[in-house]
Amino acid sequence: MSIGFGASDRQKSLYTLEGSCSQSEWTSIEMVLKEDMQVPIPKPFDLARFLAATMTFVSSVENAHVFFDNKIFMKIAKSRQLPSSIRIPKDMIPRNKEDTMHIKGLSVVTQEITDPVKRKSFWDGSKREAPKVAKVTEAVSRAMTYDHPPWLTHSAKYAVYSAQVTTTSNKDLYKGLKAMTKKDPPSHFDFEMVYFSKEEQDARTAEEKIDPDMGSIFRGPQGLFPQLDGEYMSRIFGQSTAQTTGIGGHMSGRFIPTVERGSRSNVEWNQELLYGGGFLARLVYEQEIRKVQEAWPTVNVATVDARASASREKALYAMRYFTFQPSTPDAKVARILQEAFFDCFDHSSNVHFPILTNSGICNTKDVREIHADFASFMKTVPTQLPTSPGDPPNLVDTLPEKYGVRTYTCSDVVKELQGRILQEDEMIGCLRWWVGFISSLEIDEERETTLTFLSSLTDNAKSRIGNSTRVIELRNITKFVDGNIWLPWLQSDDALPPDTIPFSFTRPLDRRHISPSLLGQPMTVVDWLSHLISPQIDAAHDIRKNSAYSNRVLSVLGNIWPMMSSDMESEAKDLMQDFPWIATNLGFRPPGGAYFPEADVFRDLPVVSVNLFDQQILTVLGEFGVKRHLKFEELFVKADKLSTYTDPDTMERLEDIRKYAVFPCNKGGKYCIPDLYLPHGEIRPLGLPILAWSRRIDKDSEDEQLLIDMGFLRHPPLEKLIEIAGDPDPKVQRAAFGYLASKFDELYDMEYDPSKYEDMPFIPATRDGHDSVGAYEEVYSDPSWALMGFQKVHHSVDRKIIGRLRMREAPSARQVIEIFRTSPPKDVNTATKWFAFLATKQVLSPGDLQQIAEIPIIPIEFISQGHSDFAESRLVPPRECFIGGSQYGDDHLYRRLFTFVDFGDHANRFLKACGIKAKPDCSDIVHILIKDPKEFLKKAGAEGDPEKYLVELRGIAVGYEGLSEEDKKRMKNAPIFVGYRTSRSSDPEHSAIVVRDEFQLIQASKILLADDMENRRILSELYESVGSGYLSAHIKYNWTRCEEVRKAILEKLPIFMHEFDEQRLKQGSVHRKWDDKSRMLVKGRRDLRVNKKLESNYRISAERQRESNEFFVSAEITTEENGCVVLWLKKTEHLDMYDVAVALCRLLFKTHKKHDVLSLMTILETDKEVLRKRGYDEREMAARKKQLEESGGGRHGGGTIRFRSKFLDFFRWQLGGSKTAGKVEPKEIDDAVKELMDQCAKGQATREEQEIRNKEHSGADKKRKDVKYCAELKSTALETVDVGGAAGLIPVWRQITAHKEIPGELTDFANIVHGLNGVLDLRDPDLMGFNRHRLIFLNLAHYTEHLDSMTPGQAYIHWYYIILHEIAHNKTPFHDKTTN
């Protein structure tokens, strides 16, 4: 058979042709080639490239061989790893806007294409002319004769991401697609996208460079690898292969070919399907960019540049890969994919879009656009990368507004200033920006408003000055240097007042705008001079001590003095008059105490030392009061005293000598006296500077004493000696510590204070077997602490000096905790040793142990995924672990939820002290449940059916009262409770509405409880405790008025109400006042409709369910504004008293049960005389109730009547619809009661009742009677039996020794027990039978063998009193008058 494919130009549709061909083992498929492919033979290289790309999305094809003359000349193989599932990120929206495409799951698989090809001589052709047939045949034949197979193997790896898509097409689209394709559209399929890593793309580029003629077999026309910015773009498989995606990856899905130009349905289908492509693209982008973020270096070390460069290249590649470019031939494809790419994230909860910045990977909301004004000082705020003309399209340029990169704001500047101290050039840039920004504002109101922000900047702006460590704060700056006055005389290194900004900061600024922008005042001469004589001035700028700077100040003053006002001159002179700031040959003098040289006649006056050739300086000196001549009187006095003048004394000269570095040192150079040590042998190993003395200096000699008196040092100070002991040279270390040990008692004992040197390393120590030097706080005398990595004292250190140095025996608790934080044990063996060791020490207090309990210090080993023979470990805090766990099986839920450890008895003792428990309690389960409810549900195996999850909730309910208030509060706010919601969906196959109950985990406050949940009482109590309300409390009833009716309600309602106490009533005894017509009316109407509405904040939306529902009823009740109760009845021939009872019970009770309604209905329907004959006499009840109230008996005094009437009510309801139950008269009940009570009193029982046994308290001595129906038997061991729901929710046990099958009467017996459960108000769901530990077990054998023949009425009465008897055992174990 031969099959041909073709296309009609006129109809634009595909067609097939069938024909016959020669007989062959091959199936022949013929295709008409395009005109540009009609050559004598296809180019082998291009054919291989096409097949390699085509096999990407063909999952079932693994190998493709191409034959030429029955010889293989091309082999392509594809290997595919096992797919890995990917969790759908919670922030991503797995459905398109039209809600027709739903993504239910994600997976990724790695594929590898291997293409062994022939030698280059045969494979030429991609960029050359195709070879002739004869030449190709000859080449193939020759190639096959080579001894070594001439194959060149090429391979490429890539990842295929897949989204499992389900569809819910609308009716119009569904019909259109079916009409066009002649079949139903797919309901589920996979949408796939290929991601090529940067390494693989680089490999293709390398292949092209190696052989430019051939290029890469995987990249080129119709090749597997696209060119990100080149000619060959990625394509959509499933559409026309010429359609490109606009990004770097191919895509494939259930696209419907658009050859039918007239159909709009397939176009809509394809456009909606593209949402899956945008979704996958965003998923892969987020994964790739996060990988780069996690690998980005965080420590500034030598290898950071290489790592950062590699990470930067990967991030740039990912951004280029997903930069959308125009798609061809249909440009809408790229636009739709781009829209889905940015809109598939829930913008309301996630506004982050990660991109590469100058600071690594950051979200766009934290990134700012590049701006030259901010570049010099904004260093911590990430900015987008710079671009240049001709660069390829950038992903950042295509971002929508919600993800766009923002411009700088003033708030950004404030955060920058708050975060760090600026350098000088950075602060200049900040000031330049601010001054330029303010000066650019032309509107005065706008400028004033902006200047209010100045305080925020100055309050946080700090800067260093030049290379010094000095820091200025702009909040303290109020003045600036006016360049019009001070330039060029004042330099940047001149001292300025602390409230004046350094001149180097304002020099680059526009002088005209400094004051209006910074709101500062110019610095005056008085301000400057006041600072120069202030106490806080440094020595280099102290004009009272530094003559050079004093002379410089005079030079500056000389240049600016002519520009000063007379008032400023006077103020400056008054300020400096009394301060000694004029440098002279005799020191500093006040201006009035200094002289010009011509006044120093006797060479004994303080003469100014400034340059006197500067006329401006001379003017300033004269202005400040420096004297040019001696006064006449002073001149004569000095001349008269000339004979008494002498030289300075010896001590003064000695002090002068000490100041000069003129003494030689053994290391070379010259030193001052206080820096040199005497040349003794014990000093030389310390490496200190020693006096180079030509002759020997003996100890205690005259030479030594002379040198000491001069100031040379005999012994190093203690602080200096300890500093030397920490020298990097081991020889110097040992010498210094030996000197300290030998001289300690003699020189350093009284001076030594360990607290002063706790951070200075000087003690010889050992760590991990290597010698080291440690500080006082780092070395310990107890060597056992070396186990935890602490330093121990070196073995060479004498025990005596250890005591002298007051070295600590053990580290402090703070240091132990810090070790756990920084260097926890890495494996189980190390952890066992540490924990066992600490269990023997008393370093840690209970408070310290509580801190350790929060630190991850326990290594937990686990098998690495994909490496079964390789174990990894992770560290967890003790607070999250439990000791042992052997009590739980390997498949137990707790094994999956909690971490159990066992390090041995000694180590476990330490862990127990840290607070590790033996087993999880209720609070632990609550904590892990609140932490991740969905993961808890998954590990419990309850994702499909929540019953196993509810089992854990029941356990929590049992221990709820023992939880802390904080845990209870967290439970109220956590989505951990199972709630059911009815959903409706259409079934396209059967054209029907499918109704199903779906559950989900939500907060308890969002759940409403059914009022009658007896089978789940424990759960309902838990739900109610944490905020769930009852359904009845949220239903609002609306109705219309009708006409009046009244009588039977007032007569019979007291009969029903006499046995209820006021705790169950909604409004107390309000019904007793209904005799007054103003309090209660009964009205009737022809029609009666009720509109029921659920009032709750958590009801489902109106689109899925109506807000209210209207019903036709026969009775309803309302309360008027004046308090009058109105019962509305529908006027009908046969009034339904059930609706009347329902309305009354809803008004009277807080919550009511079915049996309340049925009992009231029965009483209302029964004649008053009949009720009286059956024991319901309202007059007698009223009298008895009054008597009980007067005697204080309350409701318990009438317990027998209450139980009897309630039993009749129950029995009437139970047998209301039965035709075989028989009639039960009150006399029959009374006779049966009398007979049973007589048996109990006499201790008589039938043989069958002997099987009811009570194991507890078998030796009751005198109080015990021969009660066979409740006697002890030989075996009481029981086991549970699975009866497959035959007993409802009632558990069933049997004796272990019994082997008979459970009789079929079990269901009837269970119905009796369940019914009596309601009669006796026994609400414990664990009620079983005979009384053991307050549990009652009832014997099925007794019922099946001897009581099955009873009528239902007699059976209920019989078991009713048996249960009452067993309940009595809750008070006493004996059989006496108490139990009977």
Side-chain angles (χ1 to χ4, degrees), residues 951-1111:
V951 171
E952 298 302 323
L953 282 184
R954 291 190 187 96
I956 294 175
V958 173
Y960 176 77
E961 294 301 327
L963 296 176
S964 65
E965 293 301 323
E966 180 65 23
D967 288 342
K968 292 179 180 179
K969 182 179 179 181
R970 293 177 63 197
M971 286 181 65
K972 290 182 179 180
N973 300 326
I976 61 174
F977 295 93
V978 176
Y980 291 89
R981 175 175 287 172
T982 302
S983 66
R984 294 174 173 84
S985 60
S986 60
D987 186 354
E989 296 182 359
H990 300 88
S991 299
I993 300 299
V994 179
V995 181
R996 59 173 62 90
D997 287 339
E998 297 177 350
F999 79 92
Q1000 63 184 92
L1001 300 181
I1002 55 177
Q1003 297 178 6
S1005 59
K1006 300 180 180 180
I1007 299 175
L1008 297 180
L1009 301 173
D1011 290 71
D1012 196 359
M1013 286 183 61
E1014 292 301 316
N1015 56 341
R1016 292 189 175 181
R1017 178 178 59 85
I1018 294 180
L1019 278 179
S1020 63
E1021 291 177 353
L1022 173 63
Y1023 276 53
E1024 186 178 6
S1025 299
V1026 293
S1028 295
Y1030 281 94
L1031 181 63
S1032 60
H1034 290 263
I1035 296 179
K1036 181 179 180 181
Y1037 294 85
N1038 299 316
W1039 47 79
T1040 58
R1041 291 199 168 204
C1042 308
E1043 298 180 353
E1044 295 189 4
V1045 69
R1046 185 174 176 80
K1047 185 176 179 182
I1049 304 297
L1050 297 177
E1051 294 179 348
K1052 300 175 183 178
L1053 185 62
I1055 298 175
F1056 171 72
M1057 296 297 295
H1058 81 281
E1059 59 181 350
F1060 295 98
D1061 54 24
E1062 294 190 3
Q1063 293 181 356
R1064 284 199 58 195
L1065 301 182
K1066 184 184 297 185
Q1067 301 179 2
S1069 303
V1070 66
H1071 59 281
R1072 297 179 182 174
K1073 302 178 182 179
W1074 285 359
D1075 291 338
D1076 186 353
K1077 289 187 177 181
S1078 63
R1079 295 298 183 93
M1080 191 272 185
L1081 296 175
V1082 180
K1083 299 182 179 181
R1085 263 183 90 105
R1086 181 176 303 171
D1087 293 324
L1088 186 59
R1089 289 177 293 178
V1090 175
N1091 188 12
K1092 293 185 179 182
K1093 179 180 179 181
L1094 177 62
E1095 290 188 345
S1096 173
N1097 293 333
Y1098 309 108
R1099 63 179 178 82
I1100 60 178
S1101 62
E1103 289 80 4
R1104 300 181 60 184
Q1105 181 169 328
R1106 292 175 298 174
E1107 295 187 359
S1108 61
N1109 296 277
E1110 190 173 78
F1111 299 93

Side-chain angles (χ1 to χ4, degrees), residues 1232-1243 1361 1364 1379-1380:
V1233 170
K1234 184 175 182 303
E1235 178 182 356
L1236 286 174
M1237 297 307 293
D1238 290 341
Q1239 289 183 0
C1240 292
K1242 296 178 180 180
Y1361 282 98
L1364 286 181
T1379 56
N1380 294 330

Side-chain angles (χ1 to χ4, degrees), residues 11-13 100-101 169-170 172-183 185-186 189 236 238-240 253-274 330 332-333 336:
Q11 297 180 355
K12 299 298 182 182
S13 61
T100 57
M101 302 290 176
S169 305
N170 59 57
D172 295 339
L173 180 59
Y174 182 89
K175 291 179 180 179
L177 292 174
K178 187 171 183 181
M180 186 190 70
T181 61
K182 309 305 180 184
K183 58 182 179 181
F189 54 88
I236 291 183
Q239 265 283 27
S240 169
R254 293 294 294 273
F255 293 96
I256 299 177
T258 57
V259 294
E260 295 293 337
R261 303 299 182 186
S263 176
R264 187 169 57 89
S265 300
N266 59 344
V267 176
E268 294 180 7
W269 170 273
N270 291 342
Q271 290 180 355
E272 293 175 6
L273 184 56
L274 287 175
D330 190 354
K332 290 190 298 183
V333 171
I336 295 173

